[in-house]
Amino acid sequence: MTSRSSSDFSTPEGARTARKPYQPSLAKALFKTFWLPLLMGGSLKLANDMVIFVAPQILRLLIGFVSDQSEPSWKGYLYAGVLLLVASAQTILQGQYFHIAMRTGMHIRAAVMATVYRKALRITAAAKRSSTVGEIVNLMSVDSERFMALMQFLHILWSGPLQISLALYFLWQILGPSVLAGLAAMVLMIPINAVIAGRTRALQISQMKEKDGRIKLITEILNGIKVLKLYAWEESFAGQINNVRDRELKTLRKAAYLQAVTSLTWMLSPFLVALVTFATYVLVDERNVLDAKKAFVSLSLFNILRFPLLMLPMVITSVVQARVSAERLSKFLRNEELHPNNVRLIPSDDVSTKSAVIVRHASFSWGKDDGATLKNMDVDIRQGQLVAIVGQVGSGKSSLVAAMLGLMEKLSGEVCLKGTIAYVSQQAWIQNMTLRENILFGRPYDQRRYHQVIEACALKQDLEMLPGGDETEIGEKGINLSGGQKQRVSLARAVYGNSDVYFLDDPLSAVDAHVGKHLFDKVIGPNGLLKSKTRILVTHSISFLAKTDAIIVLDNGQISEAGSYQELLQAKQAFADFLRQHLEDEGDEDDADPETAAVKQEILGTIGIHPRVTDRSSSIASSGSMRKVKSLMARQESTVSRRTLNGGTSNQISVDKSLVSKKETNGDAVGPKKDIPNGGLVGTEKTETGKVKWKVYTSYLSHTSYPAAFGVILFQLLSQAMSVATSFWLGDWAGDSDIPERGNSTAWRDYRLGIYGGLGGAQGLFFFFAALMLAYGQIRASRLLHFNMLSRILRAPMAFFDTTPLGRIVNRFSKDIDTVDVTLPWIIQMWLMCTFTVLSTVVVICVSTPVFGFVIPPLAAMYFFVQRFYIATSRQLKRIESVARSPIYSHFQESVTGTSVIVATKQQPRFILANESLVDNNIACYYPNIISQRWLAIWLEGVGNFITFFAAIFAVVGRDRDWGVQPKDIGLSISYAMTVTHNLNMVVRMMIELESDAVSVERIKEYTEIPTEAEWTIPGSVPSKEWPHSGRVDFDDYQTRYRPGLELVLKGVDAKIAAGEKIGIVGRTGAGKSSLTLALFRIIEAAGGKIAIDGLDISKMGLHDLRSRLTIIPQEPVLFSGTLRANLDPFAVSSDEDLWLALDDAHLKRFVNTLPDGLQYPVAEGGENLSVGQRQLVCLARALLRKTKILVLDEATAAIDLETDDLIQRTIRDKFADCTVLTIAHRLNTILDSTR
């Protein structure tokens, strides 16, 4: 079903073009798939509805039997026995119906989740902009649940009107045309319910829209939590989330008050029908007297009528919710898909062509409505060639790779690929599994090939450093690997696959120069592992271009030049200009290699440039720092690469000894993950056992406010008391028929009728007050619980996010908060109502037939045993199911992040299978819950059936033994007993639902108690506004670890950095460079020693006071959805003039000027509509706006070309001339201007 329906959603049927365009319907697709179980459930429901109406007829016979002393006793016992048989048949039929309905709902949910997952892997880049990860998670979690909830009651849409019709027919037999008055009352309620349903739908759509926005924002914040902490932006983004949440709660408040009105109509509808019918019956004719038989048989029929009248509005609400969900799902499923014909695949054994990649006269865009991103592309790459793609930032290099892989919309032309494909994306995609599993990527383990790949990708030393070797679990998004390690694992995954064509999107930018050289020589280059493969390499590094077979030069989305290295060099056009910019710089990192230096001199001569002519190179050459670096390089370069890769240190080319840790290079970026044995990282999600603790309930009650909670209970109790009083009053009224002076008195009749109406009205009014109090309490609790959890999450240390999957946190904010917002209040209301109804039933039966008190203890004991056994089992099943749900969302979010790799490498079937396996596991945990519910229903309805049976038996025995049993007493006790079956079941069902929903409160409460970072602001320790005034940084025997109990990653660092110094920090990947910056921002806290800035110990001040006074341009550029302006200045404190100046300094002004909306340009989620280089330039502009005295560059220019890197370095020299700058870099030319 899922594959058919999901594919149908993207293409209209050509055959229907003459008529209205075909719009695929999710409801129709589901019906065509599940029509058989729906039909079986409907048949059982029909049989059950027929059986329901037998019981009132037997009650009529029993009342007649008690009234007539001449009737033989065996008839009474026969009636009691038949009543038990009928009730038992109803129990079996209803049990089977609910089992089929719930199982069908479970299957529909699974089908919807699988369909959404499949679709998410196929949608275009443009569609992704309209459907964010948070929205799609909501489709999988909340919207799929709506269908499951609807299935239990769907048949009431036709069963309800049928039951109403049959009830009215039988009432006509008793009360005659007076029933028409009751029917009129029902008809009058229809427009009221219709208005309520319409309003509910509107509020539902509004609430889901706000919820989607909230989840989207939370997901983005969690993705960029490290950046938020580094920039001290938590309060700004918390404010944004709370604003969205306030709008959501405003809608929820309206819905809650509307629910209170709905409750009033629920409660009054059945009573109004009975009141109007009885009133009409006694008022139209004075001879119409209400006796016990008429009153209580009618009452039993009105009780049957009560269920469809109560349920229909709820079912309509549920249908409305399901319809809203269906529309949302349909909208998503109709999104454009990547067309399979974007790329034509040629089998690898096809000998008709020698080309591996062919692009003919092709133009591409990211969306059908967008302009062409790439124009007039013509590329022909032969098998086994190594082709480089070069160009400036934003020229379309990554877009060209995406176009070749079929990830862009093909507007014209043709793309052909021959053989199997491997793809290494620019931003490494790592899965939450072991390092070995990441490399194998679902393929069989070949030990020889595996170790060959590990060696070639320079991962051998990293494996030795990891606590569990290659069995170490890697966190979400590779959180416990450095940027370089992630990229090398990503490359190893591709190499291990042994594909025919390799697309390598700048994989060398994230590693240092020596590791990059090793990777090129051992993997990508002419002598590497992939030498016989076709390789398309996007690169910013010019040092490898001479060893390529061909080079494609891109400029503004077009190929400006293409050819071999020598051809382009001789042409002296765009490529020569590209080289000139970089080769003039003698500080290039390859300069000290004699072979490379000779080649460089030859190239410079070819393009007519003498190497030492520019002012900049002259000034650098004359500087002390340059001489220092050059002398170091001359002596050490030839051995550095080998020593670094074989486990030696790289201190030879590091900065001044005073700055480097004595043992820093033994530190590693994977340090934070050694707390779980055998290389584990992410612990199993915590599952509580046993009863939900009372403190969870008291916590929820305190959040609702105790007065509101007390008010709900009090008004529910008063409402039920009025209900009992109404029944006794009706019994006394029916008894008046035996007293002539009352039976024939119109005054007495009017008195009875008036009080009866007043009691019923009071019952509805008290219930309405209870609903209003609940509405107030639920909104208060929802606001506080969400606010407290969000506050705690934003204050959590980075260690929490390292070890907690994103899906697990999002699950708390989506499913658990939705439960607290919507489900839990309704469950509380129903549980209180059902509990008080059961208690009142027992009281009524005991008062009517006191002897019934003797059977209460055994029945109560049985009931207690059953519910105790069931609740303990069901509670744990619910918890297990809840925990089994989180991996579905985690896997989904992981898959969406890596869609390009999954689609490019044609791994969709494997990932779809993994998703379905997780959904199956979730169902395996959920299905026993359904079975346990049916077990409970059979037992409890059995108890209820015996209550009815004993009430009937005692009526028969009471007549024979002359216990003074009156017909009105029998009518009252049996009519109440007939309703107890349903209510007994509902009490336990609601109790377990209450417990299971309280688990959501428990899970939220758990996250409101997680450890937090230090205080954001410490009164009395707030530095002056001018701090840091000079920018001096002192490391004093500084030590740190990622979490308590782990090894130190920085061991005794001593450094004195003077104000305004420019410090370069280098070292092998995993040496602890980034750890140094994390320590400066107190992302990780000191384990010993201290850091002082301008003489102030940073550990003594608040985190926001520290972080807001420092600036970092991080390794991974993180942008948030919203405007470009909001990304630059989230607190809106800078003027337009300042923003444009920052963009100009960051070399983005020209690009932003070309955008239609300028500063208001909408940035997609994660900055997807900007290249990685452009995102990094936005981060630079962000830093320029902050104007702090200390700037940290953490591999900030790794993802951009050398020319842009050079421009950035000039900007930093000019704009941060009087600032202290700490630069972590892989490229030596990036740090050549450093003081040390």
Side-chain angles (χ1 to χ4, degrees):
M1 169 263 166
T2 51
S3 59
R4 183 181 68 226
S5 63
S6 62
S7 60
D8 286 348
F9 275 91
S10 59
T11 55
E13 285 188 8
R16 304 191 184 218
T17 50
R19 288 178 276 164
K20 188 180 176 182
Y22 174 63
Q23 284 289 340
S25 166
L26 181 63
K28 285 180 185 174
L30 290 172
F31 179 75
K32 285 179 182 177
T33 309
F34 297 102
W35 68 270
L36 186 58
L38 286 170
L39 181 65
M40 289 170 63
S43 303
L44 287 165
K45 182 67 176 160
L46 180 62
N48 180 60
D49 288 354
M50 296 297 108
V51 172
I52 283 174
F53 288 95
V54 176
Q57 306 311 314
I58 297 171
L59 175 61
R60 181 171 57 81
L61 294 171
L62 263 171
I63 292 174
F65 168 80
V66 173
S67 303
D68 188 354
Q69 294 291 331
S70 63
E71 287 274 6
S73 297
W74 64 267
K75 279 193 177 182
Y77 292 114
L78 176 65
Y79 296 151
V82 171
L83 198 60
L84 180 62
L85 284 174
V86 167
S88 300
Q90 189 184 333
T91 295
I92 292 166
L93 288 169
Q94 191 163 292
Q96 283 300 308
Y97 159 69
F98 270 115
H99 175 249
I100 289 173
M102 292 175 77
R103 190 177 62 185
T104 306
M106 178 183 77
H107 288 157
I108 288 175
R109 185 187 70 156
V112 167
M113 291 174 88
T115 306
V116 168
Y117 183 84
R118 286 167 183 243
K119 184 73 180 185
L121 293 184
R122 291 206 288 256
I123 58 175
T124 61
K128 280 181 185 173
R129 291 203 291 270
S130 63
S131 301
T132 62
V133 178
E135 287 172 0
I136 305 171
V137 167
N138 266 352
L139 292 177
M140 290 185 79
S141 60
V142 179
D143 291 293
S144 61
E145 294 275 349
R146 302 267 191 245
F147 288 107
M148 192 163 71
L150 176 64
M151 281 305 107
Q152 294 181 52
F153 307 111
L154 180 66
H155 289 290
I156 290 170
L157 285 173
W158 61 264
S159 166
L162 175 66
Q163 287 185 26
I164 291 168
S165 302
L166 288 171
L168 290 173
Y169 169 76
F170 288 115
L171 282 166
W172 184 287
Q173 303 295 316
I174 301 165
L175 302 173
S178 308
V179 172
L180 295 174
L183 180 62
M186 271 192 282
V187 171
L188 285 172
M189 296 302 292
I190 290 171
I192 296 172
N193 285 331
V195 169
I196 290 173
R199 186 68 185 134
T200 301
R201 180 173 181 269
L203 290 172
Q204 173 80 13
I205 293 170
S206 175
Q207 190 246 331
M208 289 306 291
K209 183 182 174 185
E210 297 295 352
K211 181 178 178 178
D212 283 345
R214 177 172 58 83
I215 296 299
K216 171 190 168 187
L217 197 52
I218 286 170
T219 305
E220 279 199 84
I221 284 171
L222 292 174
N223 277 321
I225 189 70
K226 189 173 177 182
V227 168
L228 244 68
K229 289 185 176 297
L230 289 169
Y231 280 96
W233 281 354
E234 295 101 325
E235 287 174 312
S236 171
F237 281 86
Q240 289 181 43
I241 293 174
N242 287 327
N243 287 339
V244 177
R245 178 64 174 164
D246 284 343
R247 293 199 300 272
E248 186 184 1
L249 286 173
K250 190 176 178 182
T251 307
L252 278 169
R253 185 184 295 107
K254 290 177 183 174
Y257 291 140
L258 191 64
Q259 184 70 29
V261 176
T262 308
S263 300
L264 183 62
T265 60
W266 285 358
M267 193 55 67
L268 287 182
S269 291
F271 175 76
L272 276 175
V273 173
L275 176 65
V276 170
T277 305
F278 287 150
T280 307
Y281 179 72
V282 297
L283 291 174
V284 294
D285 191 336
E286 290 185 6
R287 290 171 296 177
N288 289 348
V289 177
L290 208 60
D291 60 18
K293 188 184 290 188
K294 288 175 184 173
F296 289 106
V297 173
S298 297
L299 192 63
S300 67
L301 288 166
F302 282 130
N303 281 334
I304 291 173
L305 202 57
R306 178 186 289 266
F307 180 73
L309 285 176
L310 283 176
M311 290 305 296
L312 269 174
M314 290 170 57
V315 173
I316 290 167
T317 302
S318 191
V319 167
V320 165
Q321 290 177 344
R323 187 180 163 194
V324 171
S325 293
E327 286 169 1
R328 285 159 48 81
L329 282 160
S330 296
K331 182 186 172 188
F332 171 71
L333 294 172
R334 288 191 198 112
N335 273 331
E336 290 291 330
E337 296 183 3
L338 291 168
H339 204 285
N341 295 335
N342 279 346
V343 176
R344 182 164 64 88
L345 293 175
I346 304 169
S348 53
D349 55 1
D350 189 333
V351 294
S352 63
T353 177
K354 295 291 183 185
S355 297
V357 181
I358 303 169
V359 182
R360 290 196 191 100
H361 316 306
S363 295
F364 305 90
S365 77
W366 285 109
K368 283 189 175 177
D369 299 327
D370 301 343
T373 306
L374 301 174
K375 298 179 281 288
N376 307 320
M377 290 287 153
D378 279 288
V379 178
D380 190 337
I381 299 171
R382 299 282 171 173
Q383 286 177 254
Q385 276 193 319
L386 168 58
V387 176
I389 300 175
V390 298
Q392 311 300 337
V393 166
S395 59
K397 303 182 294 299
S398 295
S399 296
L400 179 57
V401 169
M404 291 175 176
L405 292 168
L407 301 175
M408 289 182 75
E409 289 287 337
K410 186 176 68 179
L411 303 177
S412 62
E414 181 185 27
V415 181
C416 303
L417 295 180
K418 184 176 180 181
T420 53
I421 299 158
Y423 173 48
V424 179
S425 55
Q426 190 170 7
Q427 288 188 300
W429 174 61
I430 305 294
Q431 291 181 269
N432 179 203
M433 46 179 61
T434 67
L435 191 135
R436 178 186 288 190
E437 287 168 336
N438 264 289
I439 294 172
L440 298 183
F441 204 48
R443 302 180 184 92
Y445 176 62
D446 177 342
Q447 187 175 1
R448 180 177 163 278
R449 173 79 180 168
Y450 179 77
H451 286 293
Q452 194 179 22
V453 169
I454 291 292
E455 187 74 44
C457 293
L459 282 167
K460 192 173 180 183
Q461 183 183 350
D462 298 291
L463 293 186
E464 291 166 3
M465 290 156 60
L466 290 166
D470 64 359
E471 291 299 326
T472 300
E473 185 184 359
I474 308 303
E476 273 194 344
K477 299 180 183 174
I479 196 80
N480 50 330
L481 297 177
S482 70
Q485 288 168 329
K486 281 190 277 189
Q487 197 60 275
R488 280 181 283 132
V489 170
S490 184
L491 181 62
R493 177 176 63 213
V495 175
Y496 184 81
N498 202 21
S499 302
D500 298 314
V501 184
Y502 282 79
F503 290 91
L504 310 169
D505 192 356
D506 206 9
L508 305 179
S509 65
V511 297
D512 58 58
H514 316 293
V515 176
K517 189 172 188 301
H518 173 89
L519 292 176
F520 188 84
D521 292 342
K522 300 291 185 183
V523 180
I524 302 167
N527 302 313
L529 267 182
L530 304 179
K531 61 187 175 188
S532 61
K533 309 292 184 181
T534 308
R535 292 139 291 156
I536 293 93
L537 172 68
V538 174
T539 183
H540 290 127
S541 174
I542 60 167
S543 53
F544 307 126
L545 296 181
K547 297 177 183 177
T548 61
D549 299 310
I551 298 167
I552 296 169
V553 184
L554 286 179
D555 182 30
N556 199 26
Q558 292 183 301
I559 296 174
S560 61
E561 281 186 282
S564 71
Y565 183 71
Q566 288 299 331
E567 288 168 358
L568 296 182
L569 210 58
Q570 297 296 336
K572 298 183 181 179
Q573 293 179 11
F575 182 66
D577 293 339
F578 177 78
L579 288 177
R580 181 187 295 115
Q581 182 66 39
H582 311 307
L583 294 181
E584 289 172 349
D585 181 7
E586 280 196 320
D588 186 89
E589 54 262 43
D590 293 319
D591 193 30
D593 179 359
E595 181 188 345
T596 307
V599 171
K600 189 175 95 173
Q601 295 291 343
E602 180 188 339
I603 294 167
L604 290 169
T606 305
I607 60 177
I609 297 292
H610 192 272
R612 290 186 177 88
V613 296
T614 63
D615 295 338
R616 179 171 180 262
S617 56
S618 300
S619 65
I620 292 174
S622 64
S623 71
S625 62
M626 180 61 201
R627 287 195 301 273
K628 186 175 185 177
V629 172
K630 286 193 70 172
S631 63
L632 277 169
M633 288 173 67
R635 293 195 306 273
Q636 307 291 350
E637 177 86 20
S638 60
T639 57
V640 155
S641 179
R642 184 180 70 253
R643 291 185 62 179
T644 303
L645 292 165
N646 293 335
T649 66
S650 54
N651 281 358
Q652 296 93 335
I653 56 162
S654 189
V655 294
D656 191 283
K657 289 284 183 184
S658 66
L659 184 63
V660 181
S661 156
K662 299 156 192 168
K663 299 180 182 178
E664 179 191 346
T665 48
N666 295 329
D668 57 86
V670 295
K673 310 306 162 211
K674 298 186 181 178
D675 59 333
I676 298 173
N678 303 319
L681 167 69
V682 178
T684 308
E685 186 165 8
K686 184 180 175 185
T687 311
E688 297 285 349
T689 54
K691 290 180 70 173
V692 175
K693 296 177 178 61
W694 269 109
K695 67 179 180 182
V696 175
Y697 293 110
T698 54
S699 169
Y700 182 74
L701 288 176
S702 67
H703 283 97
T704 61
S705 84
Y706 288 113
F710 177 74
V712 171
I713 295 167
L714 176 65
F715 285 122
Q716 281 272 14
L717 194 60
L718 288 170
S719 175
Q720 199 56 51
M722 291 300 105
S723 175
V724 172
T726 306
S727 299
F728 275 115
W729 190 261
L730 183 64
D732 290 344
W733 187 4
D736 288 349
S737 61
D738 299 328
I739 306 170
E741 60 271 19
R742 289 185 179 180
N744 298 325
S745 169
T746 54
W748 194 259
R749 177 201 65 195
D750 294 345
Y751 166 67
R752 290 290 191 188
L753 185 61
I755 297 295
Y756 182 70
L759 289 170
Q763 177 192 353
L765 206 58
F766 284 136
F767 195 81
F768 178 62
F769 288 152
L772 282 178
M773 296 295 282
L774 185 66
Y776 166 78
Q778 79 179 74
I779 297 300
R780 187 176 187 274
S782 291
R783 172 180 284 110
L784 291 173
L785 284 168
H786 185 277
F787 179 82
N788 292 343
M789 179 163 69
L790 178 65
S791 300
R792 203 74 173 197
I793 289 288
L794 290 178
R795 287 174 177 270
M798 276 307 299
F800 171 77
F801 300 99
D802 293 348
T803 56
T804 307
L806 186 65
R808 197 178 291 176
I809 304 172
V810 172
N811 197 12
R812 297 289 206 282
F813 279 103
S814 61
K815 186 71 181 71
D816 291 318
I817 286 290
D818 184 65
T819 299
V820 169
D821 285 349
V822 180
T823 317
L824 187 59
W826 182 80
I827 294 295
I828 290 170
Q829 185 178 22
M830 293 298 293
W831 178 71
L832 285 171
M833 189 176 77
C834 292
T835 302
F836 290 143
T837 302
V838 168
L839 292 173
S840 64
T841 300
V842 172
V843 169
V844 167
I845 297 174
C846 286
V847 169
S848 302
T849 47
V851 71
F852 183 81
F854 290 109
V855 297
I856 288 177
L859 288 175
M862 187 176 173
Y863 176 76
F864 178 75
F865 164 75
V866 168
Q867 62 95 18
R868 180 84 180 267
F869 185 78
Y870 169 76
I871 286 176
T873 307
S874 184
R875 179 199 306 126
Q876 212 54 29
L877 284 172
K878 278 275 187 182
R879 279 180 175 145
I880 292 167
E881 189 270 331
S882 188
V883 169
R885 200 187 303 122
S886 289
I888 298 173
Y889 307 136
S890 292
H891 177 256
F892 172 74
Q893 287 175 319
E894 190 173 76
S895 302
V896 171
T897 312
T899 305
S900 56
V901 176
I902 296 167
V903 173
T905 54
K906 303 292 181 281
Q907 290 282 325
Q908 297 101 312
R910 185 168 71 83
F911 276 82
I912 287 168
L913 198 66
N915 168 259
E916 289 173 356
S917 173
L918 289 168
V919 173
D920 284 348
N921 184 48
N922 178 248
I923 286 173
C925 299
Y926 180 76
Y927 187 64
N929 219 354
I930 294 176
I931 299 301
S932 65
Q933 284 181 23
R934 291 305 95 220
W935 176 88
L936 170 78
I938 296 293
W939 274 96
L940 290 189
E941 288 180 23
V943 172
N945 295 342
F946 275 102
I947 290 175
T948 310
F949 174 67
F950 283 121
I953 285 289
F954 290 141
V956 176
V957 173
R959 190 207 73 158
D960 290 349
R961 299 283 177 90
D962 198 21
W963 287 348
V965 176
Q966 299 296 317
K968 64 168 185 143
D969 298 330
I970 298 307
L972 189 60
S973 65
I974 294 179
S975 61
Y976 255 83
M978 283 161 63
T979 65
V980 81
T981 304
H982 170 72
N983 285 321
L984 275 174
N985 195 356
M986 286 300 286
V987 166
V988 179
R989 287 278 302 281
M990 289 302 111
M991 194 181 293
I992 189 60
E993 288 293 330
L994 184 60
E995 277 225 32
S996 65
D997 288 344
V999 169
S1000 290
V1001 179
E1002 182 179 65
R1003 285 157 59 83
I1004 292 168
K1005 187 171 179 289
E1006 179 196 340
Y1007 272 22
T1008 60
E1009 295 168 352
I1010 55 176
T1012 60
E1013 292 181 297
E1015 288 298 317
W1016 286 344
T1017 303
I1018 300 173
S1021 298
V1022 179
S1024 65
K1025 287 184 179 179
E1026 293 75 28
W1027 183 88
H1029 43 80
S1030 63
R1032 191 178 80 254
V1033 182
D1034 298 324
F1035 289 84
D1036 183 8
D1037 192 28
Y1038 186 80
Q1039 303 172 17
T1040 189
R1041 52 171 59 89
Y1042 278 92
R1043 288 197 304 282
L1046 305 188
E1047 293 179 16
L1048 293 172
V1049 288
L1050 293 177
K1051 307 173 183 179
V1053 177
D1054 282 298
K1056 308 281 184 202
I1057 301 171
E1061 268 197 305
K1062 309 295 182 280
I1063 300 296
I1065 303 171
V1066 298
R1068 191 184 184 281
T1069 297
K1073 304 184 296 294
S1074 292
S1075 303
L1076 208 63
T1077 63
L1078 296 180
L1080 194 63
F1081 285 80
R1082 284 180 63 194
I1083 297 293
I1084 49 177
E1085 295 285 7
K1090 68 174 184 177
I1091 301 174
I1093 298 177
D1094 282 356
L1096 291 182
D1097 185 348
I1098 64 170
S1099 65
K1100 299 287 196 299
M1101 63 183 70
L1103 294 180
H1104 277 192
D1105 291 330
L1106 168 67
R1107 293 169 184 171
S1108 62
R1109 311 295 180 90
L1110 309 178
T1111 300
I1112 184 169
I1113 304 179
Q1115 191 169 0
E1116 293 180 10
V1118 176
L1119 301 185
F1120 301 95
S1121 62
T1123 64
L1124 184 60
R1125 184 192 182 101
N1127 271 282
L1128 290 168
D1129 181 28
F1131 289 96
V1133 293
S1134 301
S1135 66
D1136 278 10
E1137 188 182 348
D1138 290 340
L1139 291 170
W1140 282 111
L1141 190 62
L1143 288 171
D1144 192 18
D1145 291 336
H1147 312 286
L1148 270 176
K1149 186 175 182 179
R1150 193 175 70 174
F1151 166 71
V1152 177
N1153 271 324
T1154 63
L1155 298 174
D1157 301 311
L1159 288 172
Q1160 298 305 315
Y1161 176 71
V1163 177
E1165 188 174 8
E1168 287 294 327
N1169 52 348
L1170 298 174
S1171 73
V1172 176
Q1174 286 166 334
R1175 284 179 237 166
Q1176 196 62 279
L1177 292 175
V1178 172
C1179 291
L1180 172 65
R1182 205 186 264 167
L1184 289 163
L1185 280 170
R1186 282 170 74 94
K1187 301 186 178 86
T1188 59
K1189 279 288 182 182
I1190 296 175
L1191 173 68
V1192 179
L1193 301 170
D1194 186 0
E1195 314 269 13
T1197 56
I1200 56 181
D1201 62 88
L1202 291 174
E1203 183 179 354
T1204 312
D1205 183 2
D1206 187 43
L1207 291 172
I1208 289 174
Q1209 295 309 319
R1210 289 182 191 175
T1211 300
I1212 289 167
R1213 276 197 303 278
D1214 294 343
K1215 302 299 174 183
F1216 294 94
D1218 59 343
C1219 299
T1220 305
V1221 181
L1222 307 181
T1223 307
I1224 293 173
H1226 284 144
R1227 296 173 179 166
L1228 284 176
N1229 60 312
T1230 303
I1231 56 164
L1232 286 181
D1233 290 335
S1234 300
T1235 317
R1236 288 188 282 158

